[in-house]
Amino acid sequence: MLERTELLLAHYDREICPHQIALPTDDADNPYRLYILPLAYEQVGLLYAVLGLTACHIGIKKDDAYLRDTLAVEYQARAIRCLGETLQNGISGELGENERDGIFATIQILLLQDIFETGISTHGIHITGALSICNQLRLSDILTEDHERTIFFLGNLAWLDIIRSLADPQKLCFSPALRETIANLSDLKFEQVNGCPRELFLIIGTVLEHAKAHETGYIDTPQYERLLNAARYDLQTWRLSPGVYPNDHSRWPAIAEAFRHACILHTSRLLDVYQPAEATMIQTSVTAILDAIAEIPPDCHLIELLVMPLFMAGTDALSSYARHYVLLRLEHIKVRAGFGHPTPISLLQSVWDARGKQAKDDNRNVPWMSFTRTGTERQHDYLII
């Protein structure tokens, strides 16, 4: 078992870490190497999570059913059990910094395994568990620049929280204060891992906060529409500031533009979910996203950051060539990353098929979110990244 563990950890180090952050080379300063691996030797739950993720990754690449369906699931179950015990200890007592960061890292790795497998998370509830720790420790009050590792893990979880809330705003967990703290204290690794500039991350977080409040009845419709229109104006007038991305390479602004219009598009859809996709406002953002992504060649490491904007553009893509282009770029990401999950394509195909079945005089939008729920039941978290 020790030999197998070492082989799996070596694979995580060599094959997975480089794809978890957009670095131009296989950089020794990769935070997943610097933070995850040392913690995994100390926190057994994180070790199991890393081993499960790696076994799943190898199993998918080599089509090895034992690694993918047996060993990976076994390690995952052990990680979840350890995580539950650690969370319980955190609720009933105090946690050291390594234990706390081990929790955040374990949750991220478990969610990444879900992304590797299907893109649909059955473990999203653990974000709520992590937030209970955050609330107990009042992290937004005590975090400083000295907590670089904690901020790194929390930043990635906060972005995953945004992503899963696109399908259902009521799932949003991170508080506005904690998102603000994370954005202020994070460094450029946030953009290198998630792609989205922190300023846009805060705006779309506010949008989803308003959507959650509206769905739960805390704000009425007129106030909700005023707030979302104000946020959309902020998105429309936002421009990339110097120093937001790691360097001045011309491809970084293209990534920012893709995320900006993805956020505009989703905000427009929250305002009017049934607005025809043919509307000028909708198609302007679709075209802007696809034009921006066209600036990123298939062999560029930055392409791996763009699944979310591609998906958002695809949901309102009308022409055959635009839809084909979305699928082509998703395939480029799959080839570059070495794996791809079917959820974004499956959701897009469901939307496109439903639009194709509409009557000729019916041009109402078909919301992609409707395919993530069954009736009034909310399904698992959709991690379209």
Side-chain angles (χ1 to χ4, degrees), residues 111-217:
L111 292 175
L112 284 173
Q113 184 169 339
D114 289 334
I115 292 170
F116 276 21
E117 291 174 330
T118 63
I120 301 173
S121 175
T122 59
H123 308 113
I125 192 171
H126 294 310
I127 290 182
T128 306
L131 262 293
S132 70
I133 300 298
C134 295
N135 293 332
Q136 179 185 351
L137 299 176
R138 298 183 63 84
L139 286 182
S140 59
D141 294 334
I142 66 173
L143 283 178
T144 67
E145 292 180 353
D146 294 334
H147 298 93
E148 181 178 338
R149 187 179 65 184
T150 304
I151 294 163
F152 175 75
F153 291 142
L154 282 175
N156 300 335
L157 285 177
W159 179 244
L160 286 169
D161 189 40
I162 293 290
I163 291 295
R164 69 173 187 158
S165 301
L166 295 176
D168 183 358
Q170 291 194 52
K171 289 182 179 291
L172 192 68
C173 278
F174 278 63
S175 68
L178 187 52
R179 281 196 298 271
E180 186 81 34
T181 300
I182 289 167
N184 289 336
L185 295 179
S186 292
D187 58 20
L188 293 173
K189 288 191 286 290
F190 182 94
E191 282 80 6
Q192 288 176 297
V193 172
N194 305 304
C196 184
R198 276 163 280 168
E199 292 173 349
L200 295 181
F201 156 73
L202 290 177
I203 297 174
I204 194 62
T206 299
V207 166
L208 293 171
E209 202 74 50
H210 295 329
K212 179 180 179 180
H214 182 249
E215 284 194 12
T216 52

Side-chain angles (χ1 to χ4, degrees), residues 159-281:
W159 179 244
L160 286 169
D161 189 40
I162 293 290
I163 291 295
R164 69 173 187 158
S165 301
L166 295 176
D168 183 358
Q170 291 194 52
K171 289 182 179 291
L172 192 68
C173 278
F174 278 63
S175 68
L178 187 52
R179 281 196 298 271
E180 186 81 34
T181 300
I182 289 167
N184 289 336
L185 295 179
S186 292
D187 58 20
L188 293 173
K189 288 191 286 290
F190 182 94
E191 282 80 6
Q192 288 176 297
V193 172
N194 305 304
C196 184
R198 276 163 280 168
E199 292 173 349
L200 295 181
F201 156 73
L202 290 177
I203 297 174
I204 194 62
T206 299
V207 166
L208 293 171
E209 202 74 50
H210 295 329
K212 179 180 179 180
H214 182 249
E215 284 194 12
T216 52
Y218 282 99
I219 58 176
D220 59 24
T221 299
Q223 182 185 6
Y224 174 59
E225 291 177 349
R226 286 195 300 272
L227 291 169
L228 257 59
N229 276 313
R232 186 165 61 181
Y233 176 79
D234 291 340
L235 290 166
Q236 289 169 336
T237 57
W238 181 86
R239 294 296 179 268
L240 183 65
S241 302
V244 171
Y245 278 122
N247 54 51
D248 295 330
H249 197 294
S250 61
R251 290 168 183 164
W252 283 110
I255 290 172
E257 190 69 356
F259 275 97
R260 182 171 77 92
H261 276 281
C263 293
I264 292 172
L265 192 54
H266 192 66
T267 305
S268 298
R269 282 298 177 214
L270 288 173
L271 277 164
D272 186 354
V273 71
Y274 293 110
Q275 183 180 25
E278 291 86 353
T280 300
M281 179 181 295

